[in-house]
Amino acid sequence: MRAISGLWRWRHNPLCRATDLAEAWVALAALLLILVAAPVVGSLVGGLAQDTLQESVRDQRAARHLVTATVVRKLQGSPLDSDPEAATGRDRRTRVLADWTAPDGSVHQGQVMAGLDTPQPGDQFKIWTDQQGRTVARPLDSATAATHAVLAGVGAALLAIGLVEAGRRLVVWRMVRARYARWDQAWDKAGPDWGRTGTGS
């Protein structure tokens, strides 16, 4: 808005310099880019991120399987760990030795984290594995993927705004430096005696 008011104020002002008008036009162009280009960039980046992440969600759901594991025994060490992928971050997990059967039919045994408060031998719980029975993290869900896509779009829009503003500041800085250089040249032409009585007579 300052750019528009600046252009209006300077349009018929006899004190208006070419650089003043140019600065106002640069500010107006930057404002238009921020209002038009930044949302477009954010929308494009967010859309691309959404497509990529949703494809990743589909791939993970196809490749990862929820299988039933059976507790062999509870293991010593860090008995309670927080599941970093849990929605609340408060799901407590206990490290156990467990048996499970992979989707391909192979039988496995290993250390896994069980969502059981007091696991006893024979207790059953669910774990995520790949087709061969190797334990994997739970697949990414659609809502989380959409959230990441929105954040990517907002980040891209803010980056575009920052670049436009940095470009505007750089252009104005160069214009001001050029203006000061012209002033220095004008003072040099006036000479060291400018303003003294009787100079030039």
Side-chain angles (χ1 to χ4, degrees):
M1 298 310 293
R2 282 170 43 190
I4 295 172
S5 65
L7 284 171
W8 184 261
R9 186 174 65 248
W10 286 115
R11 63 193 178 109
H12 295 303
N13 192 322
L15 297 177
C16 177
R17 298 168 296 191
T19 55
D20 295 325
L21 196 56
E23 284 180 30
W25 278 112
V26 167
L28 179 61
L31 177 66
L32 291 176
L33 281 173
I34 287 171
L35 293 177
V36 176
V40 170
V41 168
S43 177
L44 288 174
V45 170
L48 289 172
Q50 174 75 348
D51 293 343
T52 302
L53 287 171
Q54 291 301 334
E55 183 179 349
S56 179
V57 167
R58 289 188 294 274
D59 292 345
Q60 287 184 13
R61 285 192 176 164
R64 299 179 185 188
H65 307 278
L66 195 60
V67 300
T68 301
T70 304
V71 175
V72 175
R73 70 174 188 276
K74 181 178 175 181
L75 297 174
Q76 299 301 319
S78 54
L80 293 176
D81 290 324
S82 176
D83 181 7
E85 295 187 10
T88 63
R90 295 185 177 178
D91 289 354
R92 291 298 191 178
R93 300 206 168 246
T94 307
R95 198 163 47 136
V96 298
L97 182 67
D99 293 326
W100 66 91
T101 302
D104 65 1
S106 58
V107 177
H108 297 267
Q109 185 178 85
Q111 298 180 19
V112 293
M113 302 304 291
L116 303 169
D117 290 332
T118 55
Q120 300 297 324
D123 287 350
Q124 295 186 332
F125 60 97
K126 299 288 188 179
I127 61 171
W128 288 98
T129 70
D130 61 11
Q131 185 67 27
Q132 290 74 36
R134 293 183 294 263
T135 56
V136 293
R138 74 179 68 191
L140 184 67
D141 62 274
S142 295
T144 304
T147 301
H148 286 283
V150 168
L151 291 175
V154 170
L158 291 176
L159 180 62
I161 290 170
L163 289 174
V164 168
E165 177 61 13
R168 183 196 70 81
R169 287 176 183 257
L170 179 62
V171 169
V172 170
W173 175 74
R174 292 192 63 147
M175 292 169 74
V176 169
R177 286 197 56 174
R179 181 187 308 154
Y180 287 159
R182 285 194 300 274
W183 284 353
D184 287 342
Q185 291 171 0
W187 278 110
D188 288 343
K189 286 179 183 177
D193 294 332
W194 182 88
R196 291 184 182 176
T197 305
T199 300
S201 57

